[in-house]
Amino acid sequence: MSSGVSDLESGSALSVSARRPDDTGQKASGQQAAARRRRRGYLLFAAFAMPNLVLIAVFAYWPIIQNIYLSFTTWDFISPAAEWAGFLNYRALFSSWSFPDVLLRTLVWVVVVVVVTLVLGLALAMLFAQRIRGTTSVQTLAFAPHVLSGAAIATIWLFIFDPNHGLSRLVFEAFGATSPAWTTDGSWALWALIIVSIWKGLGFVAIVYLVGIQQIPSEVLEAARIDGAGRWTQFRRMIFPLLSPTTFFLVITQTISAFQAFDVIAMMTNGGPARSTTTLSWFIYDEAFNRTNVGVSSAASMIMFVVLMAITVLQFRFVERRVHY
C-alpha cells in the first residue's frame, strides 16, 4: 500500500517537473511577444510624432536659441558674421532714455486693452445670453473683427479717425467739438490704437464668455431665483465665480496677444508720431529692420520673452488658486 502511494507521488512529481519547462517557455515567449508589441508601439509613436517634433524644433526652439545667441552679439544683416558683445546690448537698453518709456507704454497698452476688453466682452456676453430676437446676427457682427486681417481693420479705422472726412468728425461736431488728429497727434495716437485693439478683440472675448455662460447649469440659477437672489447677486455670487476658468484663459491669451500687437501699429502710425506708439513689439521690429541693429532687437525680444513667461507663471501660480473648476 505504501509502495503504491510512493509510486503515485513520484509519478506526480515527475509530471510537475515535466510541465515546468513548458510553462517557463510559454512565459518567456509571452514576455518576448509583449516586448515586441511595446517596441512596435514605440516605433509607431515615433513615426507619427517625429515629423511634428522636427517641425517644432526647427521653427520654434531653434529660433529661440538663435535669438539668445544674437542678443549677445552685434550684427547689421550686412556683415558676414556677428561679433560677440556680451551683455552690451542689455546694458544699452536699460541705460537708454527711451527704452523705459517703451516698457511703460507697453504696460499701459496691455493693461487697458486686456481689462477693458474683458469687462466689455463679459457685458456683451451677458446680453447675448438673454436670447433676444436678432442676437445671432449681432453675435456674427461682433465676432467679425476677430477674423478680419489687421490691415483691413486699420484701413477702416484710418477712415473713421480722419479729422476732416471721417465718422469721428461727425460725432465730435454733433457735440460742438472738433475731432482730434487721432493718428498724427502724439497725445491721441496711442489711445486711437487702443480703441482699435479693443474693438478687434471684443467679439472673441464675448463669444468665449457666452460659451461659458451657456455651460452653467440652469438649475443653479433657478435655485438662486427661488431663494430671492436678484440679477446682480446672481452675477456676483454665482455666474462670475463659475466663469473663473474662462476668465483665467482669456486673461492669459489676451495678455499675450496685447504684448504681440504689431499689424495695427504698422498700418496706422508706424510707431509714431515721435515714437509715441512704439510698444515693445514695434521696438523689436524697428531696431532690427529699420535701424539694422539686430543685437539690440534680439535683446529686447528676450526681455519680452522673459516678461511673458514671468506673467504666465505668476498667473498659473497665484491667479489659478481662485479658479473654480
Side-chain angles (χ1 to χ4, degrees):
M1 183 72 176
S2 61
S3 61
V5 172
S6 62
D7 291 341
L8 289 173
E9 292 177 349
S10 61
S12 61
L14 288 172
S15 63
V16 170
S17 62
R19 284 197 303 268
R20 282 177 182 171
D22 294 338
D23 294 343
T24 305
Q26 291 176 359
K27 185 177 181 181
S29 61
Q31 292 176 347
Q32 292 175 358
R36 285 195 296 270
R37 285 195 297 270
R38 284 196 298 270
R39 284 196 296 270
R40 284 197 297 267
Y42 292 147
L43 290 174
L44 185 62
F45 170 78
F48 282 106
M50 190 58 66
N52 295 322
L53 294 177
V54 170
L55 290 174
I56 292 172
V58 171
F59 294 103
Y61 294 117
W62 173 247
I64 294 175
I65 296 172
Q66 183 71 7
N67 190 82
I68 294 173
Y69 166 73
L70 289 174
S71 69
F72 293 100
T73 64
T74 57
W75 190 40
D76 59 0
F77 285 120
I78 299 174
S79 303
E83 297 181 3
W84 184 258
F87 288 93
L88 179 63
N89 295 322
Y90 293 94
R91 288 198 297 267
L93 283 175
F94 287 106
S95 62
S96 171
W97 62 269
S98 60
F99 190 67
D101 290 339
V102 171
L103 294 179
L104 179 60
R105 193 176 300 115
T106 304
L107 178 63
V108 172
W109 171 286
V110 171
V111 171
V112 174
V113 169
V114 172
V115 171
V116 175
T117 303
L118 262 64
V119 171
L120 294 182
L122 180 55
L124 198 58
M126 293 295 295
L127 181 62
F128 291 159
Q130 302 303 314
R131 297 180 181 178
I132 303 172
R133 179 177 296 181
T135 302
T136 303
S137 301
V138 177
Q139 291 177 20
T140 304
L141 293 174
F143 189 75
H146 179 70
V147 298
L148 292 177
S149 67
I153 291 173
T155 303
I156 293 170
W157 279 93
L158 279 174
F159 176 75
I160 293 174
F161 284 144
D162 190 299
N164 298 317
H165 308 285
L167 181 63
S168 170
R169 177 184 65 85
L170 299 177
V171 173
F172 276 84
E173 285 182 353
F175 293 94
T178 303
S179 173
W182 288 94
T183 58
T184 56
D185 187 343
S187 302
W188 291 91
L190 182 64
W191 297 105
L193 297 183
I194 288 175
I195 292 172
V196 176
S197 296
I198 292 172
W199 181 77
K200 186 176 187 295
L202 184 60
F204 171 77
V205 172
I207 296 301
V208 173
Y209 264 132
L210 178 62
V211 174
I213 293 171
Q214 291 174 342
Q215 291 178 348
I216 297 176
S218 58
E219 297 83 2
V220 176
L221 300 179
E222 184 64 27
R225 282 192 290 268
I226 293 174
D227 290 338
R231 290 194 175 186
W232 171 246
T233 303
Q234 292 179 36
F235 174 80
R236 185 168 57 92
R237 295 290 187 180
M238 305 188 72
I239 296 177
F240 188 68
L242 291 173
L243 287 175
S244 55
T246 305
T247 303
F248 182 63
F249 164 77
L250 288 173
V251 166
I252 293 177
T253 56
Q254 294 303 301
T255 299
I256 295 174
S257 177
F259 263 102
Q260 296 177 339
F262 175 81
D263 47 2
V264 173
I265 299 174
M267 289 295 298
M268 295 185 67
T269 62
N270 211 30
R275 308 195 79 174
S276 61
T277 58
T278 298
T279 60
L280 190 54
S281 60
W282 180 261
F283 179 86
I284 292 169
Y285 169 82
D286 186 54
E287 288 292 328
F289 298 102
N290 292 335
R291 303 173 187 270
T292 64
N293 198 345
V294 179
V296 173
S297 174
S298 299
S301 64
M302 289 310 304
I303 292 173
M304 175 186 281
F305 176 77
V306 171
V307 169
L308 285 175
M309 285 293 295
I311 292 174
T312 304
V313 169
L314 289 174
Q315 287 174 334
F316 272 101
R317 185 161 185 173
F318 298 105
V319 179
E320 193 180 21
R321 295 178 183 178
R322 299 180 177 272
V323 176
H324 305 280
Y325 291 100

